[in-house]
């Protein structure tokens, strides 16, 4: 009996000790998840940039149409001129003398023509009265026609001399800008020798050099072109390809391309440093992921990123924007870093802060 009482006392004491300790929480094991590194898209939404300078659509080297000595240059580099403005002048003395000589030749030819015509009329009257033969009359007719032809020749030569006298003044044939001075006062120049560089007002373009190969075709078929100016940061101008050289430069192996600025304003100055943007850059980085890596949270697309929480790794949702769906992948944009580890499958079973054990999908499997 006493043995039974002792056993009861021991049992009650053990029960009291057990009752003083709360039940332990169940241990939650980390969920194995497959992770991948996000793949940055360098081609989608990317742009190429080519440096260049702003040039005029029409550029020319102005020169005199006659030879002579320059006695005056009336413009400097950067001068804005109007059509008809005199830019430079040659010594006009020789040209004036040529005009005077041509005028004298015309006067002599006119006198010869008048004499020949009067002789012809006199012989017509004598022939009608039977005093001269028909052959002599034909001779006087030929002399009259020859004198008239020489008069026309002299008058044409006078017109040429007067034109050449006018060519001693170098005149702007359009509104534009003087870009270069290649000859100054005192220099004797030949006909056609460049004197001034001239850029017409109007359309502006950027000249760039494009590497041979695929870059040329990308430029030719680019859906959009834009031009930015170093002096106008943040401002973009629409542009189009006007011309691409058919062959590459022998020394640089690049093709010269001329890109017309469609909506150029007064801020676009000749000689400015410019950059041609081929294609449209994305406003934010784009990433390619498997379709199974994108889930949904309250109607918002999310991806799950593995983050460290103390000694534990957890899954945390990250909102993203779906840019394009492909057959086996999705293009997304969001606050993703290249070194992020994103869960690539089973995202519908995840909850925020869930402990996970990442398994790299790209790691080799041990056999």
């Amino acid at each position: 009996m006493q043995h039974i009482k002792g056993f009861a006392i021991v049992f009650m004491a053990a029960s009291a000790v057990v009752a003083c300790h709360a039940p332990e929480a169940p241990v939650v094991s980390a969920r194995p998840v497959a992770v991948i590194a996000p793949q940055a898209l360098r081609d989608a939404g990317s742009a190429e940039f080519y440096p260049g300078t702003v040039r005029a659509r029409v550029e020319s080297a102005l020169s005199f149409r006659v030879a002579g000595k320059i006695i005056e240059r009336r413009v400097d580099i950067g001068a804005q001129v109007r059509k008809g403005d005199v830019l430079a002048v040659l010594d006009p003395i020789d040209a004036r003398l040529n005009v005077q000589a041509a005028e004298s030749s015309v006067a002599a030819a006119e006198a010869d023509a008048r004499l020949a015509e009067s002789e012809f009329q006199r012989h017509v009257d004598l022939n009608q009265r039977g005093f001269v033969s028909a052959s002599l009359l034909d001779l006087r007719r030929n002399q009259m026609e020859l004198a008239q032809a020489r008069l026309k020749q002299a008058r044409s030569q006078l017109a040429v001399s007067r034109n050449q006298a006018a060519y001693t003044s170098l005149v702007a044939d359009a509104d534009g800008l003087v870009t270069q001075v290649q000859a100054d006062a005192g220099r004797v120049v030949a006909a056609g020798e460049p004197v001034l560089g001239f850029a017409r007002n109007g359309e502006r373009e950027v000249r760039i050099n494009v590497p041979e190969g695929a870059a040329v075709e990308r430029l030719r078929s680019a859906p959009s072109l834009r031009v930015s100016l170093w002096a106008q940061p943040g401002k973009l101008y629409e542009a189009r390809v006007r011309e691409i050289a058919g062959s590459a430069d022998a020394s640089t192996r690049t093709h010269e391309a001329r890109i017309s600025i469609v909506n150029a304003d007064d801020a676009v100055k000749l000689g400015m440093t410019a950059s041609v943007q081929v294609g449209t850059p994305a406003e934010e980085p784009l990433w390619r992921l498997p379709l199974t890596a994108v889930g949904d949270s309250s109607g918002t697309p999310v991806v799950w990123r593995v983050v460290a929480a103390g000694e534990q790794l957890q899954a945390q949702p990250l909102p993203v924007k779906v840019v394009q769906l492909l057959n086996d992948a999705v293009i997304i944009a969001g606050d993703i870093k290249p070194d992020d580890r994103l869960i690539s499958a089973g995202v519908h079973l995840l909850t925020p802060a869930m402990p996970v054990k990442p398994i790299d999908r790209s790691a080799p499997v041990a056999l």
Side-chain angles (χ1 to χ4, degrees):
M1 188 67 164
Q2 299 219 351
H3 177 72
I4 296 174
K5 288 181 179 180
F7 180 80
I9 293 172
V10 172
F11 177 79
M12 292 175 60
S15 300
V17 172
V18 173
C20 292
H21 290 78
E24 296 183 0
V27 178
V28 179
S29 60
R31 182 184 184 87
V33 292
V35 297
I36 58 172
Q39 178 186 356
L41 289 182
R42 300 186 183 274
D43 296 329
S46 63
E48 297 174 286
F49 296 87
Y50 297 100
T53 55
V54 176
R55 306 286 289 271
R57 168 67 174 82
V58 179
E59 294 181 339
S60 57
L62 301 183
S63 59
F64 290 100
R65 299 172 67 173
V66 294
K69 179 180 180 180
I70 301 175
I71 61 172
E72 184 180 7
R73 176 173 59 82
R74 299 184 180 179
V75 294
D76 296 314
I77 295 178
Q80 186 73 43
V81 299
R82 307 285 294 178
K83 181 178 181 179
D85 288 350
V86 177
L87 309 180
V89 180
L90 291 179
D91 186 351
I93 294 178
D94 291 344
R96 291 173 182 172
L97 292 176
N98 288 336
V99 172
Q100 293 175 4
E103 290 174 344
S104 298
S105 297
V106 169
E110 288 176 344
D112 290 343
R114 286 194 299 268
L115 178 60
E117 185 176 3
S118 62
E119 284 291 325
F120 173 72
Q121 293 298 335
R122 189 162 34 255
H123 280 71
V124 168
D125 181 61
L126 292 175
N127 177 263
Q128 291 176 352
R129 295 165 61 183
F131 292 110
V132 295
S133 64
S135 61
L136 184 58
L137 178 63
D138 291 339
L139 176 62
R140 295 304 180 189
R141 180 184 292 108
N142 290 339
Q143 290 176 341
M144 180 188 67
E145 292 175 352
L146 178 61
Q148 290 174 344
R150 286 175 176 170
L151 175 59
K152 290 181 180 179
Q153 182 182 17
R155 287 173 176 170
S156 298
Q157 187 60 45
L158 174 60
V160 171
S161 297
R162 286 174 174 170
N163 286 341
Q164 290 181 337
Y167 295 154
T168 58
S169 294
L170 184 59
V171 179
D173 55 359
D175 297 348
L177 185 74
V178 177
T179 59
Q180 193 175 10
V181 174
Q182 297 172 278
D184 215 329
R187 179 171 175 175
V188 177
V189 295
E193 182 178 345
V195 175
L196 297 172
F198 184 74
R200 289 194 180 190
N201 289 346
E203 187 175 353
R204 295 289 183 256
E205 63 185 23
V206 179
R207 295 189 184 179
I208 60 176
N209 293 309
V210 183
E212 61 180 349
V216 175
E217 195 57 37
R218 287 197 298 270
L219 175 63
R220 197 188 310 274
S221 60
S224 65
L225 292 177
R226 293 184 180 182
V227 171
S228 60
L229 303 176
W230 183 85
Q232 300 286 332
K235 187 171 184 179
L236 294 176
Y237 298 87
E238 295 296 327
R240 59 180 175 83
V241 177
R242 186 179 73 82
E243 178 182 300
I244 300 178
S247 60
D249 183 84
S251 57
T252 64
R253 307 311 306 168
T254 59
H255 294 255
E256 183 184 78
R258 303 185 180 188
I259 310 300
S260 296
I261 303 176
V262 176
N263 55 341
D265 53 23
D266 294 338
V268 181
K269 305 294 185 183
L270 294 177
M272 278 186 166
T273 301
S275 179
V276 176
Q277 173 184 306
V278 181
T280 304
E283 297 179 357
E284 52 188 335
L286 300 180
W287 310 88
R288 180 189 179 107
L289 296 175
L291 283 172
T292 54
V294 180
D296 178 86
S297 177
S298 302
T300 302
V302 296
V303 296
W304 292 82
R305 179 164 51 188
V306 176
V307 297
E311 297 181 355
Q312 196 177 47
L313 297 178
Q314 298 180 350
Q316 292 292 348
L318 177 66
V320 295
K321 179 175 64 176
V322 175
V323 176
Q324 185 179 2
L325 290 174
L326 305 177
N327 290 334
D328 58 348
V330 59
I331 308 299
I332 63 171
D335 187 21
I336 298 175
K337 305 297 186 298
D339 57 350
D340 281 344
R341 291 188 295 174
L342 303 181
I343 301 174
S344 62
V347 294
H348 62 288
L349 301 175
L350 300 176
T351 58
M354 174 184 287
V356 294
K357 179 182 179 181
I359 301 174
D360 191 352
R361 290 185 62 173
S362 62
V365 178
L367 298 178

